[in-house]
Amino acid sequence: MHGTPRPPATPAQALSAMDHLIAAHLIGQQELARRLGLNVTDLTCFAFVLEAGENLLTAGDLAARAHVTTGAVTGILNRLERAGYVTRRPDPADRRRVRVAAVPAAVARVEAVYAGHYERLTVLFADYSADELAIITDWFTRATALAHEYLEKLNRNDPEEEC
């Protein structure tokens, strides 16, 4: 059904709904990570590796995306490699760097765990018109940028800077 009438909402109601969504997904991510034998940070980093596809990330790329230090990402990659999720490949352009590749069997395991949820979300999105999906996508994109900006402010730990 496209363009279904929606009930009116205030910014406070939208913030509350967003908080509930984030909480549900955080709890869900923890459970999915547990089922996959990972922690949430490692699962998130594996998702970044998957998103990159054939354009393999360096450890530095992964550290920047996950907002962790390069030392922390080394530990993450060690755990993901031991668990059979990633392999490290020498960077053909710079032998001092490595690139991170997903292990196909691990990709299949993760996709299987997420498949049902993504199918339900796809059905939910089908209830929205193309214009509404554009608004939803715009909102997600802009809210993500704000979240990254906020995280960067927090990571600077500057008492003079308002978060």
Side-chain angles (χ1 to χ4, degrees), residues 1-77:
M1 192 181 246
H2 293 290
T4 303
R6 311 285 176 212
T10 65
Q13 289 170 316
L15 281 171
S16 177
M18 180 192 68
D19 286 343
H20 288 276
L21 172 67
I22 290 169
H25 276 182
L26 283 172
I27 293 165
Q29 284 293 93
Q30 289 172 343
E31 179 57 24
L32 290 172
R34 185 191 67 74
R35 288 178 184 213
L36 292 165
L38 300 172
N39 66 47
V40 172
T41 302
D42 295 357
L43 179 58
T44 300
C45 286
F46 185 66
F48 291 137
V49 171
L50 292 178
E51 181 182 47
E54 296 297 316
N55 187 19
L56 302 182
L57 300 176
T58 65
D61 296 333
L62 195 54
R65 289 182 189 195
H67 294 270
V68 299
T69 66
T70 53
V73 90
T74 298
I76 292 165
L77 290 174

Side-chain angles (χ1 to χ4, degrees), residues 16 20 23 48 52 82 91 109 111 116 120 122 125 137 152 163:
S16 177
H20 288 276
F48 291 137
R82 274 194 309 268
D91 186 325
R109 281 195 313 271
E111 287 176 348
R120 289 186 291 280
T122 299
F125 283 136
T137 302
E152 288 169 12
C163 286

Side-chain angles (χ1 to χ4, degrees), residues 145-157:
L146 288 174
H148 284 293
E149 179 183 306
Y150 180 67
L151 183 56
E152 288 169 12
K153 285 181 181 182
L154 289 174
N155 285 339
R156 283 193 293 269
N157 202 24

